[in-house]
Every structure is written in structure tokens, then in C-alpha cells.
Amino acid sequence: RVDQLQIGVKSLLAKSGYSFSEEDKALLETILLELEDISNSQKDSNPNDLLQILSLLLRFLKFFGIDDISGLF
């Protein structure tokens, strides 16, 4: 669920025990904004939702250091 992902990303950003690089922090903040956009647009039927979700998935993979997804399938 999008709401649960939002809470998780907010939690990661709020935890002081984690020291993210500026690039990782910026990526998490971008992911959070995209999650908020998806959450807000769920009320309306939008044909671009699938593209937004795929973009978000790629950002999550990048955050976790997965640049090549060919090995995942």
C-alpha cells in the first residue's frame, strides 16, 4: 500500500541513526514526493499511474544499489 510506503520512507528520513549521503537523502525525498503524488491521484483514474509506479520502483531499486535488474528475473 502506498500509505505504508510513505510511512516507511518518512521513518527512514527521520531516523537520526542513519547517515545517508546527500544523494541518497535527495533520492528518498524524491521517492516520498512521488508516493504522495500517487496517493493523491488514486482518487482519480489516471492512465499515467503505471508509469509513475514503474518510475518509483526504479528509484527504490537505485536506492538499494540495484542498477541492473536483469538478474532479478
Side-chain angles (χ1 to χ4, degrees), residues 14-57:
K15 294 214 183 228
S16 59
Y18 292 109
S19 58
F20 294 115
S21 68
E22 288 300 315
E23 181 180 330
D24 284 346
K25 186 175 178 183
L27 184 58
L28 280 174
E29 289 169 347
T30 301
I31 288 171
L32 184 57
L33 289 174
E34 287 191 31
L35 285 169
E36 289 171 357
D37 286 345
I38 291 170
S39 180
N40 292 336
S41 71
Q42 280 183 341
K43 299 168 188 124
D44 304 324
S45 178
N46 186 352
N48 292 327
D49 284 348
L50 181 58
L51 292 176
Q52 267 188 310
I53 292 169
L54 288 174
S55 172
L56 183 62
L57 176 62

